[in-house]
Amino acid sequence: MEEGFLFKAFSDQVTVDWQSVLLEKLNPGDFEKIESSILRDYQLGKRVFPPVDKIFNAFSTTPLNDVKCVILGQDPYHQTNQAMGLSFSVPDSITIPPSLRNIFIELEDDLGFIPPKHGDLTKWAHHGVLLLNSILTVLNGSPLSHQNIGWEHFVSQVLVTLSNHNPFVVFVLWGKSAQRFEKFIDKKKHKVIKGVHPSPLSAHRGFFGSKPFSEINDALLANGKSPIVWAL
């Protein structure tokens, strides 16, 4: 992996509308700090997820002008072939992780949709759901291993951009990790839904029964937006 790979990945993957506004808020040093940490891991023979061509997948799948809802996760899945650059999502050939399984349980309870047999949420992304993590990379088998290398600043600028640029967005912040980013959202302009994380460790403390999907769609309809098609 050569120097400059992260900015190249950003340039190759991010849609033009994202690029035009994000590059105004970021400077080369923002990418260099993150890149130096990732390069060091590669040089040490460590495996980093997701693959480079999927790091910015959320921004290639959901253009800035199409974003109606943000679901903010923590960091990518840390097992082989799971991470695909969309929060909570895994390729359809991969076993559905426990947190996503709980999301599907709540989706069925809330809207009556039969849970899918796969965990690929790309369809949600195409319908205007930005599936964003607060940290965009992770080491194999080591959750939060890329915490504090610079991703949090990048994501804060993404949220500021969305808050300023889009007329109305529903921001979904499940768990304390996501809720730390609430301060970057203009709550007078947008809807913020805060709740318990869907992890098996916490879902029974208030995630189940919270009906977030109908709340998201009700808020979108009330603000003249079409609802998200949640069925997969």
Side-chain angles (χ1 to χ4, degrees), residues 64-184:
L64 171 62
N65 295 325
D66 293 349
V67 176
K68 295 188 288 187
C69 173
V70 177
I71 296 180
L72 186 63
Q74 182 174 275
D75 63 342
Y77 295 120
H78 56 270
Q79 302 296 335
T80 303
N81 296 328
Q82 287 183 315
M84 56 183 294
L86 303 176
S87 63
F88 295 104
S89 182
V90 292
D92 61 11
S93 59
I94 300 299
T95 300
I96 299 172
S99 291
L100 181 54
R101 193 170 297 281
N102 286 340
I103 288 172
F104 288 160
I105 290 171
E106 180 59 24
L107 178 62
E108 181 179 23
D109 181 62
D110 186 359
L111 296 176
F113 293 136
I114 297 173
K117 298 185 184 301
H118 66 86
D120 187 348
L121 306 181
T122 302
K123 185 176 178 181
W124 290 1
H126 285 314
H127 279 281
V129 183
L130 183 69
L131 296 167
L132 180 65
N133 280 313
S134 59
I135 304 165
L136 270 58
T137 54
V138 69
L139 288 178
N140 179 32
S142 184
L144 294 177
S145 47
H146 281 174
Q147 188 175 33
N148 299 324
I149 69 169
W151 282 126
E152 292 89 346
H153 173 69
F154 173 82
V155 170
S156 72
Q157 295 309 303
V158 170
L159 296 179
V160 168
T161 295
L162 269 171
S163 187
N164 292 338
H165 182 273
N166 288 31
F168 179 78
V169 175
V170 181
F171 292 86
V172 180
L173 310 177
W174 287 326
K176 292 181 180 179
S177 178
Q179 289 165 18
R180 290 185 293 119
F181 290 85
E182 183 181 4
K183 61 187 176 183
F184 300 108

Side-chain angles (χ1 to χ4, degrees), residues 25-45:
K25 293 184 175 295
L26 300 167
N27 62 65
D30 293 325
F31 282 117
E32 288 169 6
K33 180 185 177 184
I34 300 169
E35 183 177 287
S36 64
S37 295
I38 297 175
L39 273 176
R40 186 167 56 250
D41 288 331
Y42 278 127
Q43 290 163 358
L44 291 172

Side-chain angles (χ1 to χ4, degrees), residues 211-226:
K211 301 190 181 302
F213 304 100
S214 56
E215 186 176 0
I216 291 165
N217 279 353
D218 288 347
L220 289 171
L221 287 167
N223 284 271
K225 301 284 185 179
S226 58

